[in-house]
């Protein structure tokens, strides 16, 4: 029995949906898989945005040009408008977090990743198996005020391309995200083993 078959066939459908295909396996990471974190993010953004908007309306510039009006304008620009900007950014990031989906097609020939936002395809990338060097696990921890949750992602790395530069050498490694928004390390490890098995990442490539 290989490593991937040791994991249960029932995957958490709110996080990932796995389906076998003739060429390998398809993984679908649906929207709303990180809705709890996105809700905290949106509430924090609204907490910044709402009072800042009220303050900006209350202290909106008037036709007067006396010292008090100028001081009000300066204080509004320094303290209020940045809060409006930060609040809007948090709300937009929350909307992106709950609207994005990721579809992965992994097989012996290639790995393909399709990213969609609100159902609209925004990125479609593929890497041939011969160009893939490894798959790695990365972690992201939210600030404590936003719950402090740790999320995992899986990234495929390409083989390095060496170039001579200033008496040294540098390499260009491309990255392809093949799983994200995973709230559990055990699940991330299971997905890593599944992708590695179907893409044959543990088997040396025979192509040069």
């Amino acid at each position: 029995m290989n490593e991937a078959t040791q994991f249960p066939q029932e995957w958490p459908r709110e996080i990932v949906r796995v389906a076998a295909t003739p060429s390998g396996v398809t993984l679908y990471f649906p929207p709303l898989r990180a809705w709890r974190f996105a809700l905290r993010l949106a509430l924090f953004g609204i907490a910044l945005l709402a009072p800042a908007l009220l303050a900006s309306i209350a202290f909106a510039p008037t036709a007067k040009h006396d010292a008090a009006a100028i001081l009000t304008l300066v204080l509004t620009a320094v303290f209020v408008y940045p809060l409006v900007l930060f609040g809007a950014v948090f709300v937009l990031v929350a909307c992106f977090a709950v609207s994005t989906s990721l579809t992965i097609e992994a097989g012996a020939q290639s790995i393909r990743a399709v990213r969609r936002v609100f159902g609209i395809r925004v990125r479609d990338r593929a890497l041939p198996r011969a160009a893939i060097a490894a798959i790695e696990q990365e972690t992201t921890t939210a600030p404590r005020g936003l719950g402090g949750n740790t999320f995992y992602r899986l990234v495929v790395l390409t083989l390095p391309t060496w170039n001579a530069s200033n008496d040294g050498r540098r390499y260009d490694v491309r990255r392809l995200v093949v799983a994200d928004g995973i709230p559990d390390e055990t699940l991330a490890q299971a997905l890593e083993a599944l992708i590695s098995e179907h893409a044959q990442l543990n088997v040396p490539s025979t192509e040069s």
Side-chain angles (χ1 to χ4, degrees):
M1 179 182 295
N2 59 38
E3 185 180 9
T5 57
Q6 297 177 9
F7 298 108
Q9 296 299 314
E10 292 297 327
W11 301 87
R13 291 183 58 82
E14 70 277 8
I15 304 298
V16 61
R17 300 165 192 177
V18 180
T21 65
S23 59
V25 67
T26 297
L27 290 76
Y28 175 65
F29 298 87
L32 299 175
R33 61 189 180 279
W35 69 268
R36 293 179 179 86
F37 171 71
L39 179 61
R40 295 190 186 99
L41 202 64
L43 291 176
F44 184 77
I46 293 172
L48 292 176
L49 188 60
L53 284 175
L54 293 176
S56 64
I57 294 173
F59 298 103
T62 63
K64 297 181 180 179
H65 298 286
D66 54 10
I70 295 175
L71 179 60
T72 300
L73 179 61
V74 171
L75 292 177
T76 302
V78 172
F79 295 104
V80 177
Y81 292 154
L83 289 179
V84 173
L85 177 61
F86 288 137
V89 168
F90 277 107
V91 172
L92 289 175
V93 171
C95 291
F96 176 82
V98 297
S99 65
T100 179
S101 67
L102 181 65
T103 303
I104 303 298
E105 298 174 1
Q109 301 299 320
S110 65
I111 295 180
R112 180 188 178 197
V114 179
R115 174 86 60 181
R116 291 180 175 86
V117 178
F118 293 110
I120 302 173
R121 182 183 303 179
V122 296
R123 179 173 295 182
D124 188 344
R125 293 182 58 197
L127 290 176
R129 168 62 186 91
I132 298 174
I135 181 171
E136 292 186 352
Q137 184 182 121
E138 298 178 350
T139 60
T140 302
T141 302
R144 184 171 300 179
L146 296 176
N149 302 90
T150 299
F151 295 93
Y152 301 85
R153 67 163 51 181
L154 300 176
V155 180
V156 166
L157 304 177
T158 62
L159 294 166
T161 302
W162 294 92
N163 298 309
S165 175
N166 298 327
D167 298 327
R169 291 192 298 175
R170 62 184 180 182
Y171 60 89
D172 176 28
V173 175
R174 289 184 292 165
R175 296 159 44 90
L176 181 66
V177 176
V178 294
D180 64 4
I182 306 171
D184 180 74
E185 184 177 9
T186 302
L187 178 58
Q189 292 172 349
L191 290 171
E192 180 178 353
L194 183 69
I195 295 172
S196 297
E197 179 196 15
H198 287 279
Q200 300 181 6
L201 297 183
N202 295 326
V203 179
S205 176
T206 58
E207 299 182 34
S208 57

